[in-house]
Amino acid sequence: MRASLSAFLIVAGLLAAPVKAQTPHTLDTASVRRWREDLAFLRKEMPSHHANLFHQMTSVQFDSALNSISARLPTLARHQVIVELQKLDALVGDGHSAVAPWRDSVIAFHTLPITLYWFEEGIVVRAADSAHANLLGARLLAINGVPVDSAAARIRPVISRDNEMGVRAYTPVFMVMPEILQATGIVPDMDRIPLTVEQDGKRRTVTLSPAGLYPIMTGDIDRSWMKRQGWEDAREKAPTPLWLTDPTNMYWFRY
């Protein structure tokens, strides 16, 4: 299934308008009914569109996941349903079957004012808006008191991937989305996210709030490395590596 699962939802007009990050209201009766119609649509269309939907999961697992989401809809908020659909699509077991909040503006998830990257030394603040530039280079230790390894384990089922590199690539992306942090039980409040970081040998806790919607990064090139307006990047103090000298060009070479 080359197209994302969220593309199915958009075609059917089934993603309701998003709520603000800090108001996780549960679905009303009409929304529950519409989401159940969506699930019925997915139950039929996903197997027919994917070359082999059950190459990693079984049809029993697929039906069980859909039934579980349907049963829990009255207790869920919109963003929690979307995260459950991310988990459903991750069960497929390939990187092209995905609900992608970084590519789909209809999902409208938010971002903290930082960008993280998973280096060999750990998950580190690579970029930040100007108000939080003092966090550049800080290593993330915990989110709301949850150790970073445990937080990564909670996020792992949300990630559609072909291999472990997909986990390392998208864990830092999802760690800055308040909706995903709340839906996976890492934080209770999407408006105030406490982070414990280590910088220059010292530990401290900072509380961050959402800084707008997550920027949509469509297309086939990795736009996550492109600097955002009003943000600072830790790489600015170092020479630009060759592979990032022309980030908008997919095919190029240099002797």
Side-chain angles (χ1 to χ4, degrees), residues 197-253:
V197 299
E198 183 178 61
Q199 194 172 23
D200 299 326
K202 299 179 181 179
R203 296 189 179 193
R204 61 188 175 114
T205 297
V206 296
T207 299
L208 302 182
S209 298
L213 296 176
Y214 193 89
I216 299 305
M217 300 178 182
T218 57
D220 292 323
I221 61 171
D222 183 359
R223 298 180 182 271
S224 64
W225 294 93
M226 298 176 67
K227 184 180 178 182
R228 304 181 202 176
Q229 186 174 4
W231 283 50
E232 296 188 26
D233 196 304
R235 295 182 298 108
E236 292 176 345
K237 297 180 180 180
T240 300
L242 179 61
W243 68 280
L244 285 175
T245 56
D246 195 0
T248 62
N249 188 354
M250 187 182 303
Y251 302 112
W252 62 279
F253 66 90

Side-chain angles (χ1 to χ4, degrees), residues 80 87 143-144 146 154 179-188:
Q80 294 169 331
K87 294 178 183 178
I143 304 174
N144 190 42
V146 178
R154 296 190 192 187
E179 288 86 353
I180 290 181
L181 295 177
Q182 195 278 336
T184 54
I186 298 172
V187 303

Side-chain angles (χ1 to χ4, degrees), residues 142-214:
I143 304 174
N144 190 42
V146 178
V148 67
D149 290 346
S150 297
R154 296 190 192 187
I155 290 172
R156 183 184 179 92
V158 179
I159 301 173
S160 295
R161 71 252 187 205
D162 298 307
N163 50 49
E164 284 301 305
M165 188 59 216
V167 176
R168 292 184 68 89
Y170 287 105
T171 296
V173 173
F174 291 159
M175 277 186 171
V176 299
M177 293 185 181
E179 288 86 353
I180 290 181
L181 295 177
Q182 195 278 336
T184 54
I186 298 172
V187 303
D189 184 354
M190 291 188 289
D191 200 39
R192 293 176 57 82
I193 314 292
L195 305 180
T196 303
V197 299
E198 183 178 61
Q199 194 172 23
D200 299 326
K202 299 179 181 179
R203 296 189 179 193
R204 61 188 175 114
T205 297
V206 296
T207 299
L208 302 182
S209 298
L213 296 176
Y214 193 89

Side-chain angles (χ1 to χ4, degrees), residues 47-114:
S48 65
H49 280 77
H50 197 289
N52 182 9
L53 189 71
F54 305 118
H55 70 283
Q56 183 162 307
M57 69 173 171
T58 67
S59 60
V60 172
Q61 288 175 310
F62 179 61
D63 288 335
S64 177
L66 285 168
N67 292 339
S68 175
I69 297 171
S70 179
R72 290 181 288 122
L73 282 174
T75 68
L76 299 177
R78 174 187 181 272
H79 72 281
Q80 294 169 331
V81 180
I82 294 172
V83 172
E84 290 302 312
L85 292 178
Q86 288 184 271
K87 294 178 183 178
L88 171 68
D89 225 11
L91 289 175
V92 177
D94 68 72
H96 286 293
S97 300
V99 175
W102 67 95
R103 295 174 68 99
D104 190 343
S105 60
V106 176
I107 292 176
F109 278 4
H110 294 75
T111 182
L112 297 179
I114 58 173

